[in-house]
Amino acid sequence: MRFKLTIEFDGRPFMGWQRQPHGPSVQSAIEDAAATMLGETVTLHAAGRTDAGVHGRAMVAHVDIARDVTPFRLMEGLNACLRPNPVAILDCAIVPDDFHARFSCVARHYEYLIVNRRPPLTFENGLAWRLPASLDADAMHEAAQQLVGRHDFTTFRSIHCQADSPLRTLDRLDVVREGDRISVKASARSFLHHQVRSMVGCLSLVGRGKWSVADLKAALDARDRTALGLNAPPDGLYFIRADY
């Protein structure tokens, strides 16, 4: 049977989502838990990949299981075998055989958390990007609208990106402040490697007054990675939802 898993994880201990030969990954932690529980080797397919240090609130993945097991029993067993890894299966459901966590996905949603304060982070160290200089969130939001729509995002794409094309349609890029917390929310069918982090890094330059809206637009139009102003760290990035 094919199962759809909804997964929450703290990315700090991992090299990223995808199984790696040189370090722990979220995928390998869950696959190893399944092998311990079920006595069979499985392969997990996810809605997206995350870099080292990036977190997931509701990553979606699917897995084919030969053993007869109920969704509740699979969820409980995986969670038990995942300990002490900071990974939790939030939901588990049987889906049709033609469901694919990656290829059936019609939209992916990310959130980037900035804490705009001078004191260091305590509870959220590694879970947010602390920026001590005062940020103008309204200016960041205004500039962000230059990136919404279909564009060549070469400037905001990692040189290691394996996508066939730099063209992407960004459906949403909103910047909202609540107290000292600034949230950047991005939605698209798909993203390029480092795209969200690169956009946030450049928006932070706008927030600090180092870049104007025109500077951000010029960086986009340059279609050149060397025009990138700043790539934000992975700490504040969360995969928050996949739509099907």
Side-chain angles (χ1 to χ4, degrees), residues 216-228:
L216 183 70
K217 183 65 164 57
L220 173 67
D221 292 341
R223 302 180 181 89
D224 184 347
R225 183 65 174 176
T226 62
L228 182 75

Side-chain angles (χ1 to χ4, degrees), residues 8 10 13-14 24-25 28-30 32-33 79 81-88:
E8 179 181 85
D10 176 347
F14 300 107
S25 69
S28 62
I30 300 172
D32 292 347
N79 282 332
C81 294
L82 277 164
R83 300 187 186 108
N85 291 297
V87 181

Side-chain angles (χ1 to χ4, degrees), residues 116-118 131-136 177 207-208:
N116 190 201
R117 74 181 198 189
R118 293 198 63 82
L131 286 174
S134 180
L135 297 175
D136 184 340
R177 176 188 282 276
R208 282 182 271 180

